[in-house]
Amino acid sequence: MIQESKYYPWIVVGMLWVIAILNYLDRQMLSTMQPFMQESIESLRSAENFGRLMAVFLWIYAFMSPVSGIIADRLNRKWLITASLFIWSGVTLAMGYTHTFGQLYVLRAIMGISEAFYVPAALSLIADYHSSRTRSFAIGIHTTGIYLGQAFGGFGATIAALSSWQATFHLFGIVGMAYSLVLIFFLHEKKGYVIDKTAPVSLKIEWKNAVKGLTVLLSNISFWVILLYFSAPSLPGWATKSWLPTLFVSTLDMPMKDAGPFATMTLAFASLMGVLVGGWMSDKWVRSYLKGRIYTGVIGLALTVPGLLLLGFGATITPVFLGAFCFGFGFGMFDVNNMPILCQFVSARYRATGYGLLNLAGISAGAFITNFLGKSIDSGSLGRDMAMLIGAVVLVIALQLIILKPNTADMSE
């Protein structure tokens, strides 16, 4: 059987890589199609209203993430991933038929629920298929899909200019729904621990297990540090994902049809390089030094500092381009090591739940900053306010270096 092949762990990464592209493409292309959509939906002409549209996805995604993580730790992740992809792709298709802000708002909320079930399940599945020798690099390959999806989302504006924003949503919705059918036949589950299938199943028992998992995680001081370490960089991370094309328009005086692809491709290409370098470096370093993954992440975060400064205060294409590249590369190095670092402090039984809590904290921060920077655009202070996010990055670098002290490269039961 294909799942027994020594190459299957990498086949799993490849299948999930495609989903990662669709995951970020479907959510990201909305930000670059605003100029086209506002011709049909007048309320989208307000940056604050558009920020609300982006933020509702993030808030619901954030609060659903722990729920999805708890479920992924207990149920078959293959079916969670497949259903998640099918539903959010259906929502993408439906967005092409909207005529009002209210309709878009409801669909973005539904997309937040469905997409929340993907990442905790996918990353924990990869972690179970790969040992500590290849875990960061495997997750790194998957993460390149996320950044490619972010980059391809920038071409939503280009496709919309050639056809229409409605046709763009229809196209990618159909592609995602079709691909979900492929997963039914080729994606297989592999738990890193044993679930007693003979034990009685009831809502009371499942609630008790969920509370136990949360208690194990929240009583661990290292997990709290990882939680803060994950969430604070999400402020500039989500700021660039949501508003970098707009920053390029205001700073470089580009039309959005050019600024969208240029901004997202620059950031995504740099991040793609960062996750591959960071994943390879982390897997090598942790074999000889247990804090190798932590130091790799810190190096990445340190690189985002000059990136934010150049993005915030650059006035010409060269410093702004260098800022986007430096930020993307550093954030990629940081991003690829979050689950592998979590694996050093949390057992396989609770990793999806743990990552769900990380998403809650990180994306809540992202929802706040997305809405806040929408107001910054209206007041003309976007670049300055993005640069001020450096303080949060510096704080978590210090905390991680001081407090996190792993005893193993891969925590067992």
Side-chain angles (χ1 to χ4, degrees):
M1 299 177 67
I2 187 173
Q3 63 264 40
E4 296 175 357
S5 166
K6 66 178 181 180
Y7 301 109
Y8 187 71
W10 294 106
I11 294 174
V12 168
V13 173
M15 288 189 288
L16 297 181
W17 178 80
V18 175
I19 306 175
I21 291 177
L22 295 171
N23 184 276
Y24 265 71
L25 189 154
D26 287 348
R27 73 173 76 169
Q28 181 70 21
M29 62 184 178
L30 178 67
S31 67
T32 62
M33 292 200 296
Q34 180 187 6
F36 304 95
M37 298 178 69
Q38 67 188 17
E39 295 177 5
S40 305
I41 304 174
E42 186 176 349
S43 56
L44 294 182
R45 295 173 186 174
S46 165
E48 184 173 353
N49 273 346
F50 199 76
R52 288 173 55 212
L53 192 61
M54 302 293 282
V56 67
F57 168 87
L58 295 176
W59 281 120
I60 292 178
Y61 185 104
F63 283 100
M64 282 302 300
S65 288
V67 176
S68 71
I70 291 170
I71 293 173
D73 278 333
R74 294 292 298 168
L75 301 183
N76 189 305
R77 290 168 293 190
K78 164 188 174 172
W79 296 112
L80 289 178
I81 290 168
T82 302
S84 175
L85 172 61
F86 185 85
I87 293 170
W88 92 59
S89 297
V91 168
T92 302
L93 176 67
M95 288 177 73
Y97 294 103
T98 55
H99 301 285
T100 67
F101 178 85
Q103 291 170 342
L104 278 173
Y105 196 84
V106 170
L107 287 173
R108 286 290 286 185
I110 297 173
M111 181 176 280
I113 296 172
S114 57
E115 287 205 4
F117 279 86
Y118 174 65
V119 172
L123 293 188
S124 64
L125 184 61
I126 292 173
D128 283 345
Y129 267 109
H130 289 265
S131 69
S132 62
R133 294 181 63 85
T134 59
R135 184 171 292 144
S136 279
F137 191 67
I139 290 177
I141 292 175
H142 174 267
T143 307
T144 64
I146 290 176
Y147 291 120
L148 284 173
Q150 179 182 328
F152 294 157
F155 285 99
T158 305
I159 299 173
L162 295 173
S163 56
S164 69
W165 62 268
Q166 293 95 337
T168 306
F169 282 128
H170 294 162
L171 171 64
F172 291 108
I174 291 171
V175 169
M177 294 174 75
Y179 188 69
S180 67
L181 302 178
V182 174
L183 302 178
I184 294 174
F185 300 100
F186 297 105
L187 184 64
H188 300 282
E189 172 66 283
K190 179 184 178 181
K191 290 288 187 186
Y193 53 95
V194 177
I195 294 178
D196 185 2
K197 296 182 179 180
T198 64
V201 177
S202 69
L203 185 60
K204 181 178 180 180
I205 292 173
E206 293 303 320
W207 173 257
K208 181 179 179 181
N209 288 331
V211 171
K212 178 182 177 182
L214 291 172
T215 301
V216 169
L217 291 167
L218 297 179
S219 62
N220 183 343
I221 186 63
S222 294
F223 179 77
W224 281 100
V225 174
I226 296 171
L227 195 68
L228 183 60
Y229 163 76
F230 184 87
S231 58
S234 293
L235 292 170
W238 278 103
T240 56
K241 289 173 186 175
S242 298
W243 295 116
L244 191 60
T246 304
L247 179 67
F248 274 38
V249 168
S250 61
T251 301
L252 305 177
D253 197 27
M254 283 184 176
M256 180 58 85
K257 68 181 180 66
D258 298 324
F262 183 63
T264 55
M265 285 295 289
T266 300
L267 192 66
F269 178 70
S271 299
L272 187 151
M273 293 179 61
V275 297
L276 293 178
V277 171
W280 174 83
M281 180 187 298
S282 177
D283 282 338
K284 292 290 185 181
W285 206 344
V286 77
R287 295 177 194 176
S288 57
Y289 190 53
L290 290 178
K291 291 190 74 170
R293 298 202 193 282
I294 294 169
Y295 286 154
T296 303
V298 165
I299 291 170
L301 283 185
L303 288 173
T304 67
V305 173
L308 286 170
L309 286 173
L310 289 168
L311 285 173
F313 299 109
T316 61
I317 190 168
T318 299
V320 172
F321 171 79
L322 289 175
F325 188 88
C326 190
F327 180 88
F329 188 89
F331 196 87
M333 291 185 67
F334 150 79
D335 202 17
V336 72
N337 281 294
N338 290 320
M339 175 59 89
I341 290 173
L342 185 69
C343 291
Q344 292 188 271
F345 296 93
V346 175
S347 72
R349 187 175 295 273
Y350 304 116
R351 285 172 188 167
T353 302
Y355 203 87
L357 289 170
L358 296 187
N359 265 346
L360 169 62
I363 298 172
S364 296
F368 164 77
I369 203 63
T370 297
N371 195 42
F372 175 79
L373 291 180
K375 298 176 183 178
S376 297
I377 293 169
D378 289 335
S379 64
S381 59
L382 177 61
R384 182 202 66 192
D385 290 347
M386 284 184 67
M388 289 175 61
L389 300 176
I390 289 172
V393 175
V394 173
L395 173 64
V396 297
I397 286 176
L399 286 175
Q400 180 154 351
L401 288 174
I402 294 170
I403 298 178
L404 290 188
K405 299 176 181 178
N407 296 316
T408 178
D410 190 357
M411 187 172 180
S412 58
E413 287 291 316

